[in-house]
Amino acid sequence: MTDDQDTHLVLERLLRLRDRREPLVAQIAEWVGAGIIEGRLEPGQDLNSVELSRRFDTSRTPVREALMLLEQEGLVEMKARRRPRVAAPSLQDIRDIYQVRRQLLAMLASLLVERATDAELAELRGRVERMRKVADSGDVDGYFWAHVQLQERMTEVVGNATLKQILDSLALRTLMLRHLSLTRAGRLAYSIDDQERLLQACEERDGELASALIAGATVRALRAVEEQLEQDAARNRKPVRKRGAAAS
């Protein structure tokens, strides 16, 4: 499976694009959503409805509907008398998200140890082995989407519908941040090492260790995001935006 297929499957599910009667709205939402997540569209960047209409050879109505769909998921900001723009969460918002995510993933790892069959763990091991090859090649996008699919598969194996629903509610807000963390030098190697250690703990049926490993990996990912935001702020000669404060 290519990373383009992974991108499509993940966004189709999280944005519930199969439920959309207008295929063009789904197409626009997927293109803009992937651009935001993969960093081609940067936080705070204007989203020009006219340019998007030209790109997709359509009127502005499907574009607006697609952007409204992304707004509901926290990827786009739409305010009166202003152009839509890519959402730019504050540093505190990001820390809050990761704090919640760390606890949820620790629970996921514990349940994975408890509920996964040997065959399911072998399947997850195969995914991680393929991810190692992608990481070694330096393909950030390919590794990122494979990692997203890995965690989605873990939630399916665990079978806790409530946990899956909560993780899904945060998913689109975190995908952009998760991708950003992997762009830092050395992060692909750290990440795949984390996945291998996690799978080993699961295979050894050590739920406490598995929970600690995935929580630690989440903290390291947050630190990578913080470092990248600080670097970007220094380059742009402006401070990282705090919650409730306007960007300078």
Side-chain angles (χ1 to χ4, degrees):
M1 180 179 290
T2 67
D3 53 297
D4 284 345
Q5 288 174 309
D6 285 350
T7 305
H8 171 73
L9 289 173
V10 171
L11 291 179
E12 181 183 62
R13 188 180 72 78
L14 292 176
L15 289 170
R16 299 173 293 279
L17 296 181
R18 288 185 180 179
D19 298 336
R20 306 295 304 184
R21 295 182 179 179
E22 313 86 347
L24 194 54
V25 172
Q27 184 181 354
I28 296 168
E30 183 176 321
W31 185 87
V32 175
I36 292 172
I37 290 165
E38 295 179 353
R40 294 188 299 275
L41 300 171
E42 299 181 350
Q45 180 177 335
D46 285 345
L47 297 169
N48 191 315
S49 299
V50 174
E51 291 179 1
L52 287 170
S53 298
R54 290 172 181 165
R55 171 179 285 275
F56 290 94
D57 191 24
T58 185
S59 68
R60 296 175 65 179
T61 299
V63 171
R64 182 167 181 80
E65 290 181 15
L67 294 181
M68 289 175 65
L69 177 61
L70 293 171
E71 181 189 30
Q72 293 171 8
E73 301 298 335
L75 292 182
V76 169
E77 294 178 356
M78 299 180 69
K79 297 182 179 180
R81 297 182 295 279
R82 292 184 61 180
R83 277 184 179 176
R85 66 176 187 174
V86 178
S90 72
L91 184 54
Q92 187 58 52
D93 288 336
I94 292 168
R95 288 170 174 162
D96 289 348
I97 288 170
Y98 269 85
Q99 183 180 44
V100 174
R101 182 172 168 77
R102 184 178 73 243
Q103 299 298 326
L104 293 174
L105 291 180
M107 182 184 298
L108 174 67
S110 178
L111 289 172
L112 190 65
V113 169
E114 177 184 326
R115 299 183 179 182
T117 66
D118 290 344
E120 288 168 334
L121 289 178
E123 177 204 337
L124 296 176
R125 170 62 67 181
R127 287 175 179 260
V128 171
E129 288 173 353
R130 292 190 292 274
M131 287 167 61
R132 165 63 73 179
K133 295 178 181 178
V134 177
D136 288 346
S137 74
D139 182 357
V140 173
D141 288 348
Y143 177 85
F144 166 75
W145 289 109
H147 187 199
V148 172
Q149 291 278 48
L150 174 69
Q151 287 196 344
E152 291 209 342
R153 179 58 183 143
M154 287 178 176
T155 62
E156 292 173 358
V157 169
V158 163
N160 186 311
T162 300
L163 178 59
K164 189 177 191 307
Q165 183 179 12
I166 297 171
L167 283 169
D168 280 352
S169 71
L170 290 173
L172 284 168
R173 297 171 191 267
T174 61
L175 288 181
M176 176 181 67
L177 302 171
R178 290 169 64 187
H179 186 278
L180 179 63
S181 75
L182 290 173
T183 63
R184 298 286 295 171
R187 276 293 300 159
L188 281 181
Y190 281 119
S191 179
I192 189 59
D193 286 348
D194 285 336
Q195 306 316 308
E196 290 178 342
R197 284 192 290 266
L198 172 62
L199 257 295
Q200 183 176 348
C202 291
E203 290 162 348
E204 294 173 355
R205 301 296 176 174
D206 191 334
E208 186 175 345
L209 177 58
S211 294
L213 287 171
I214 204 166
T218 306
V219 170
R220 285 189 289 278
L222 172 58
R223 288 174 182 164
V225 171
E226 291 173 334
E227 290 168 0
Q228 188 61 50
L229 292 177
E230 289 170 359
Q231 180 177 311
D232 291 345
R235 185 175 63 244
N236 296 330
R237 295 184 179 179
K238 62 183 181 180
V240 176
R241 187 166 67 94
K242 304 297 183 180
R243 179 187 289 176
S248 58

